[in-house]
């Protein structure tokens, strides 16, 4: 029996690296689309360099996409590439639209021309729900409030639902709620917290400045979530699924657990812009900076993944507390070992 072949766009990111590991464990031939970068793009894939075939290109370059698809000849495509920072999307809305919407169209069209029977996974997002009150489930209305959420929603409507209905393409969206790990990008709030606390504990940083501590998210563990991606493409018919833990925590709760995990418990006082977190000596280690607020904030995300649990037989394995501990301890070790974190 011939090995399955998969092409992963965004393979150098958190999800892409975990997905590559999963597919290799399952015996796939794995191909990845990567962008040229002055920094080492394979930092998350150092142990897999010799097991993955890499193709240079991005979602803005149709010729590169066509070449990568022709050379990899995939049975499955996982589109994880994106301008993935919600906050940055307000500053670069056109770039966000070009990658997160138009880029999806280029990829899907090229894939369908090469092989109409290819199976495609589209990385969608809970940010598409936006202003919709929680809990958000597979049938909830989508009211995105950021350029990131808007572009992802339009791609979901036009290229996932649209191509599935008009062309019979096997394409599905994973509407993933926040999922984290030690491989999370350093500009995301969870990783910013764990890196900064590690540096404070090591005497390399005085204080951590954050935005809205009351923002609530449904946080899960990234390796659990990439397993759900794979399961979606193994079904008899394409469907969209919310992937979430069904439990909601605030930024403050994440912060408190992370600090406690590395032996630096915090006590919070004040509210709003005047809230601070003090360590055992009374030193302010965390403060609020309004400059970190988003122009339009999604205050509360809470997913209902009952459909995924029923159809895919999927459920999260790692708890919130365990997730935070894994991240906090990993960054503290990295800081103490002198590894580069920023």
């Amino acid at each position: 029996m011939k090995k399955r072949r998969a092409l992963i766009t965004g393979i150098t990111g958190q999800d892409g690296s975990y997905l590559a590991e999963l597919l290799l464990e399952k015996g796939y031939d794995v191909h990845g689309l990567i962008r040229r970068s002055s920094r080492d793009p394979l930092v998350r894939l150092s142990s897999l360099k010799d097991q993955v075939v890499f193709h240079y290109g991005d979602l803005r370059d149709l010729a590169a996409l066509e070449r990568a698809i022709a050379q990899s000849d995939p049975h499955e495509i996982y589109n994880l590439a994106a301008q993935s920072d919600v906050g940055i999307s307000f500053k670069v809305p056109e770039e966000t639209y070009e990658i997160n919407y138009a880029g999806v169209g280029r990829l899907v069209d090229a894939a369908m021309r090469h092989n109409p029977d290819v199976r495609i996974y589209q990385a969608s997002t809970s940010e598409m729900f936006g202003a919709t009150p929680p809990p958000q489930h597979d049938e909830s209305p989508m009211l995105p409030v950021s350029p990131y959420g808007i572009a992802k929603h339009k791609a979901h409507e036009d290229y996932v639902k649209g191509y599935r209905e008009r062309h019979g393409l096997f394409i599905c969206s994973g509407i993933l709620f926040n999922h984290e790990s030690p491989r999370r990008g350093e500009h995301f709030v969870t990783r910013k917290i764990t890196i900064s606390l590690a540096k404070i504990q090591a005497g390399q940083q005085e204080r951590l400045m954050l935005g809205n501590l009351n923002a609530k998210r449904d946080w899960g563990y990234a390796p659990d979530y990439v397993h759900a991606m794979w399961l979606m493409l193994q079904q008899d018919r394409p469907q969209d699924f919310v992937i979430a833990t069904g439990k909601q925590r605030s930024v403050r709760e994440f912060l408190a657990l992370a600090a406690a995990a590395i032996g630096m418990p915090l006590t919070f006082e004040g509210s709003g812009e005047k809230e601070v977190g003090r360590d055992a000596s009374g030193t302010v280690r965390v403060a609020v900076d309004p400059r970190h607020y988003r122009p339009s904030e999604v205050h509360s995300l809470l997913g209902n993944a009952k459909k995924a649990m029923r159809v895919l037989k999927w459920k999260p394995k790692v708890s919130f507390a365990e997730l935070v501990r894994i991240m906090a301890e990993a960054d503290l070790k990295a800081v103490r070992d002198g590894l580069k974190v920023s």
Side-chain angles (χ1 to χ4, degrees):
M1 181 177 177
K2 290 186 176 180
K3 295 175 73 173
R4 300 285 292 176
R5 294 181 301 278
L7 173 64
I8 305 171
T9 72
I11 195 172
T12 60
Q14 168 188 254
D15 291 2
S17 65
Y18 284 122
L19 179 61
E21 289 177 358
L22 175 69
L23 295 181
L24 286 168
E25 288 171 2
K26 292 185 177 296
Y28 280 65
D29 284 331
V30 177
H31 295 249
L33 188 72
I34 61 172
R35 293 177 295 168
R36 193 202 68 79
S37 171
S38 58
R39 298 178 64 181
D40 180 6
L42 304 181
V43 63
R44 295 184 178 94
L45 295 162
S46 57
S47 64
L48 306 180
K49 287 181 180 179
D50 297 330
Q51 301 177 63
V52 175
V53 179
F54 295 104
H55 306 265
Y56 281 92
D58 64 42
L59 296 188
R60 288 174 287 198
D61 188 336
L62 176 59
L65 291 175
E66 291 177 332
R67 184 166 56 250
I69 290 169
Q71 292 174 351
S72 60
D73 189 24
H75 301 96
E76 299 171 5
I77 296 176
Y78 296 84
N79 182 35
L80 312 185
Q83 191 302 97
S84 59
D85 190 301
V86 178
I88 294 296
S89 76
F90 288 98
K91 299 178 180 179
V92 291
E94 292 185 9
E95 177 184 352
T96 301
Y97 182 89
E98 176 63 21
I99 297 171
N100 295 3
Y101 172 70
V104 177
R106 293 187 193 96
L107 176 68
V108 171
D109 282 337
M112 195 166 58
R113 284 195 297 271
H114 179 78
N115 175 15
D117 295 324
V118 69
R119 296 189 170 200
I120 301 175
Y121 170 85
Q122 164 65 7
S124 290
T125 169
S126 59
E127 290 286 335
M128 298 192 307
F129 291 118
T132 301
Q136 295 98 0
H137 53 79
D138 300 87
E139 302 301 325
S140 295
M142 294 182 176
L143 303 170
V145 298
S146 67
Y148 171 80
I150 291 168
K152 283 284 191 176
H153 178 235
K154 186 167 176 57
H156 174 72
E157 291 293 323
D158 291 355
Y159 298 123
V160 179
K161 294 171 66 176
Y163 275 45
R164 195 163 58 208
E165 294 168 2
R166 292 196 300 274
H167 304 296
L169 184 65
F170 194 112
I171 183 170
C172 55
S173 275
I175 306 171
L176 272 55
F177 280 64
N178 295 67
H179 48 289
E180 318 296 316
S181 77
R183 300 182 191 176
R184 187 59 146 155
E186 297 167 2
H187 55 290
F188 289 91
V189 66
T190 51
R191 199 65 203 296
K192 179 180 178 181
I193 287 171
T194 56
I195 290 173
S196 295
L197 291 178
K199 288 184 174 181
I200 291 170
Q201 182 74 309
Q204 299 178 16
Q205 184 173 323
E206 180 67 22
R207 184 176 297 179
L208 166 61
M209 306 301 292
L210 291 170
N212 181 12
L213 299 185
N214 295 314
K216 294 180 178 180
R217 295 292 182 269
D218 183 329
W219 274 303
Y221 186 45
D224 288 345
Y225 285 46
V226 300
H227 184 230
M229 299 176 188
W230 176 78
L231 287 172
M232 290 180 208
L233 294 195
Q234 312 315 307
Q235 303 305 301
D236 292 334
R237 64 185 181 91
Q239 301 180 66
D240 305 323
F241 294 90
V242 163
I243 304 298
T245 70
K247 297 179 181 178
Q248 189 181 64
R249 309 285 183 170
S250 68
V251 172
R252 186 185 298 99
E253 289 176 273
F254 189 102
L255 176 61
L257 278 177
I262 60 171
M264 192 179 68
L266 297 174
T267 301
F268 294 90
E269 60 183 55
S271 61
E273 296 177 12
K274 298 188 180 299
E275 184 171 6
V276 296
R278 298 182 185 274
D279 65 15
S281 71
T283 303
V284 173
R285 295 303 190 182
V286 180
V288 173
D289 185 345
R291 288 177 296 181
H292 292 298
Y293 290 169
R294 292 176 182 170
S296 182
E297 179 69 85
V298 175
H299 294 284
S300 182
L301 288 172
L302 174 61
N304 180 334
K306 288 184 177 179
K307 178 183 175 184
M309 294 177 184
R310 183 184 75 254
V311 177
L312 303 179
K313 307 300 187 228
W314 174 88
K315 65 179 181 179
K317 297 178 180 178
V318 174
S319 70
F320 176 72
E322 182 70 1
L323 161 66
V324 177
R325 183 192 65 76
I326 290 169
M327 293 181 65
E329 290 181 353
D331 276 326
L332 182 61
K333 183 179 187 303
V335 168
R336 286 177 171 171
D337 290 349
L339 302 179
K340 187 180 185 304
V341 292
S342 58

